[in-house]
Amino acid sequence: MTEKRPIWTRSFINISISTFFIFTVFYALLTFLPIYVMNELGGTASQGGMAVSVFLVSAIIMRFFAGMILEKYGKRRILILSVLMFAVSTIFYVFVDDFALLLGLRFFHGIWFSLMTTVGGAIAADIVPPERRGEGLGYYGIAMNIAIVAGPFIALTLQPFMAARSIFIIFSVIMVIGFFCALAVRVEEAAPVLREGKRKLSLHDFLETKAMPIASVGFFVSFVYASIVSFISVYAESLGLLKTASYFFLVYAIAMLVVRPFSGRIFDSRGPHIVIIPSCIMFAIGLFSLSITQSPWMLLLSGALVGLGYGTLLPSFQTLAIQSADKHRSGYATGTFFAFYDTGMAIGTASLGIIAVSLGYANLYLMLAVMVLLIALYYVWIMKGHKQAVE
């Protein structure tokens, strides 16, 4: 019997920790900056939203160039540079006290977030054994999911007791630690693809076309998930459950942590369908549960169901995107997937709020539950077409 090659190598542990710190600071800033803009800079709620959205705009734009940059300069080099510049950008918040400068910093910060998250996923995929990639990327994805809880918790816990500058310093210290973890990562670089002569740029230079079908599924899933990230606290407040809402993502993370080790192994041993279809159904049930929530326990149950469903979908789709491409184009595949994913999140955040005003949040979540079931059918259709293309 062939011995399983290990996932938890020194490099995998360090890339996971570095990613965790980056996403922790990302979500902490996502939570803290609207408060900072209104309380410290005298801005409005809409300006607080701009501080969030301009970051996403630059991140999405950079996704289209990330694969080309990784191929030209190498993954480890870009990892070190992007984590360093993400840390430097975080330090700059300590000195910015003007809204226009803050917007410029947010745009600059988003560039390095986009590069790091692209190269981090590509390196993680390269480090883990190919036969255990679903399991390995599932573990890697835990870093991002735990950060969803850790970032806002740190920001909201510190905010009542510390000055904004002190909070930014703490975020900076977290990122300095993340940088030293990135320095410890080692990865075998693929030989660079030589380009003979001058030629016109094509779609292939910006995106991995083989990954686009599954990335489109990720787009629709992230569009739906935007309703959870953006509106769960508003919905809970309308139900008189705001105190319970603070535990929603904690329950979500616990549920995700329970199922993630098993789902990754099943993905590798029995294929993606047996993981992704039940996860879509579980996600849809969680959204339906939200639509009929009237009590604290129902809200927390919904969080657990969403964690079991969505928490498994993201790493599964990312794994399929990377598996669809040649190894030397794993950076392109990762960038393509997250370009679609981030765009879905941005469009969902902007449009679902408008829909919620017309339908109400309960009806919005009911509508999205049906949409997730349709996404499951779309996924089956996409995979059937991919199988026929391979044959």
Side-chain angles (χ1 to χ4, degrees), residues 285-300:
I285 294 172
L287 291 166
F288 174 75
S289 176
L290 270 178
S291 74
I292 60 173
T293 290
Q294 294 294 331
S295 61
W297 73 266
M298 278 289 288
L299 185 64
L300 296 181

Side-chain angles (χ1 to χ4, degrees), residues 121-142:
I123 287 177
D126 289 347
I127 290 172
V128 299
E131 69 275 10
R132 302 184 70 186
R133 187 167 284 160
E135 183 182 358
L137 289 182
Y139 289 133
Y140 176 74
I142 288 176

Side-chain angles (χ1 to χ4, degrees), residues 5-14 16-17 127-129 132 135-136 138-143 261 265:
R5 288 187 287 173
I7 290 175
W8 294 101
T9 59
R10 179 185 176 191
S11 290
F12 183 78
I13 291 170
N14 278 289
S16 297
I17 294 174
I127 290 172
V128 299
R132 302 184 70 186
E135 183 182 358
Y139 289 133
Y140 176 74
I142 288 176
R265 290 172 197 159

Side-chain angles (χ1 to χ4, degrees), residues 13 40 43 48 51 66 87 100 115 117 162 192 210 238 276 319 327 377 379:
I13 291 170
E40 302 291 331
L115 267 181
T117 50
M162 300 180 69
K210 294 177 182 177
S238 71
I276 290 174
T319 302
K327 184 176 181 180
L377 295 176
Y379 159 77

Side-chain angles (χ1 to χ4, degrees), residues 134-135 139 142 255-269 274-275 312:
E135 183 182 358
Y139 289 133
I142 288 176
M256 179 268 301
L257 285 171
V258 169
V259 74
R260 183 64 60 80
F262 307 103
S263 62
R265 290 172 197 159
I266 294 171
F267 182 101
D268 290 326
S269 62
I274 201 166
V275 172
T312 303

Side-chain angles (χ1 to χ4, degrees), residues 148 221-229 249 252 283 310 341 345:
I148 293 175
V221 170
S222 68
F223 175 88
V224 173
Y225 185 65
S227 68
I228 302 293
V229 175
F249 285 108
Y252 162 95
F283 189 16
Y310 173 81
Y341 178 87
M345 185 71 72

